[in-house]
């Protein structure tokens, strides 16, 4: 158990629908990261938060993507008007202050049909 | 920005064979390097990491990796693999803000 849980584990949606994923790290994890992993590739960085502040967004994060971390605890990643190219595994990772090891959740697998 | 290349996408070995998975990163300076493993249906787990000091790093489950600065490499090794080592292995380098840049991964299948 990494202390990072993600929900849902799987999501199938129709193209054009909005989806939201949630990540819950344990309270000591002040930095939270979102990555996307497609078939045959390693995880790619999307965005990260330090507490509630979103500090960086990748160019991969189009305008249809938005992430929040209210109160510096759980985080949500929303994709609006989903496209088939959004089909991927979305991973959340968290790090303690002063630590360097990232703990990953099991991910949310999104399939857009 | 850094990039990471892993030399083999699929590796098939018999039990007790020795393993070496290649990893190269794109540019030098101070680097923090990691190997992660993902067993089927499970989350990414840290195998080992290198920050500084002894370039030969030992990790969990008998894995080790050698940092060779002149070659921009951080290859993963295990003297004798087991069936339970079947998994996907990712090399990663840390960037500013503790972001990780991953390679494409190597799928290892160990035949019993």
């Amino acid at each position: 158990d990494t202390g990072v849980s993600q929900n849902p584990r799987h999501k199938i949606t129709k193209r054009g629908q909005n989806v939201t994923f949630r990540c819950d790290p344990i309270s000591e994890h002040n930095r939270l990261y979102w990555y996307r992993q497609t078939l045959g590739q390693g995880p790619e960085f999307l965005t990260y938060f330090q507490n509630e502040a979103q500090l960086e967004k990748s160019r991969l994060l189009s305008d249809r993507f938005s992430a929040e971390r209210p109160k510096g605890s759980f985080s949500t990643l929303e994709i609006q008007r989903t496209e088939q190219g959004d089909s991927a595994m979305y991973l959340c990772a968290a790090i303690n202050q002063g630590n360097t090891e990232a703990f990953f959740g099991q991910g949310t697998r999104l399939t857009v049909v | 920005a850094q990039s990471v290349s892993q030399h083999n996408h699929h590796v098939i070995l018999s039990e007790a064979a020795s393993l070496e998975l290649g990893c190269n990163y794109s540019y030098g300076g101070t680097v923090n390097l990691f190997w992660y493993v993902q067993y089927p249906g499970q989350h990414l787990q840290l195998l080992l990491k290198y920050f500084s000091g002894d370039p030969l790093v030992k990790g969990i489950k008998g894995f080790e990796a050698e940092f060779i600065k002149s070659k921009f490499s951080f290859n993963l090794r295990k003297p004798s693999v087991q069936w339970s080592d079947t998994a996907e292995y990712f090399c990663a380098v840390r960037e500013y803000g503790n972001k990780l840049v991953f390679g494409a991964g190597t799928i290892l299948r160990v035949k019993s």
Side-chain angles (χ1 to χ4, degrees):
Chain A
D1 183 12
T2 63
V4 180
S5 61
Q6 292 187 245
N7 289 288
R9 294 287 307 279
H10 303 273
K11 178 71 176 178
I12 300 174
T13 191
K14 290 184 179 179
R15 191 175 49 159
Q17 298 294 305
N18 299 344
V19 293
T20 300
F21 311 139
R22 178 174 170 132
C23 173
D24 285 87
I26 61 175
S27 59
E28 291 81 10
H29 291 157
N30 68 320
R31 284 196 173 186
L32 185 148
Y33 301 76
W34 285 98
Y35 291 85
R36 181 173 69 187
Q37 185 177 13
T38 53
L39 200 62
Q41 298 297 321
E44 296 173 292
F45 169 76
L46 293 179
T47 187
Y48 87 95
F49 294 83
Q50 178 151 320
N51 300 315
E52 66 276 9
Q54 188 173 18
L55 296 188
E56 187 174 344
K57 293 192 287 187
S58 160
R59 289 173 299 171
L60 293 175
L61 213 66
S62 76
D63 291 345
R64 297 183 297 104
F65 287 69
S66 62
E68 294 182 339
R69 194 182 183 198
K71 303 177 184 178
S73 55
F74 71 91
S75 177
T76 57
L77 178 67
E78 181 184 16
I79 309 174
Q80 296 183 325
R81 305 181 303 282
T82 51
E83 301 173 356
Q84 286 188 319
D86 298 330
S87 295
M89 177 75 85
Y90 290 84
L91 298 169
C92 177
I95 298 179
N96 291 349
Q97 177 78 28
N99 202 336
T100 51
E101 178 178 348
F103 296 93
F104 283 82
Q106 290 190 287
T108 296
R109 181 169 297 283
L110 173 66
T111 303
V112 181
V113 297
Chain B
Q2 282 275 13
S3 64
V4 176
S5 61
Q6 292 185 237
H7 305 162
N8 307 97
H9 196 55
H10 284 93
V11 172
I12 301 174
L13 294 173
S14 298
E15 274 193 310
S18 64
L19 169 73
E20 181 160 3
L21 302 182
C23 171
N24 287 92
Y25 56 96
S26 55
Y27 62 84
T30 302
V31 286
N32 299 148
L33 295 157
F34 304 80
W35 275 97
Y36 279 84
V37 61
Q38 189 168 29
Y39 298 104
Q42 296 191 25
H43 57 84
L44 281 163
Q45 301 174 42
L46 183 67
L47 267 182
L48 48 78
K49 59 189 177 185
Y50 171 79
F51 291 159
S52 62
D54 189 344
L56 187 60
V57 180
K58 294 195 183 300
I60 60 171
K61 304 186 181 187
F63 286 90
E64 64 180 30
E66 185 175 13
F67 170 59
I68 303 179
K69 189 172 183 177
S70 60
K71 295 185 178 180
F72 298 87
S73 71
F74 190 55
N75 292 354
L76 182 71
R77 300 195 293 244
K78 185 170 184 178
S80 175
V81 295
Q82 301 171 315
W83 177 80
S84 57
D85 293 323
T86 294
E88 189 161 14
Y89 293 81
F90 294 94
C91 181
V93 62
R94 188 175 67 155
E95 283 200 324
Y96 175 78
N98 272 328
K99 305 189 301 288
L100 293 171
V101 177
F102 287 87
T106 298
I107 298 170
L108 171 66
R109 186 163 81 87
V110 180
K111 299 184 294 184
S112 58

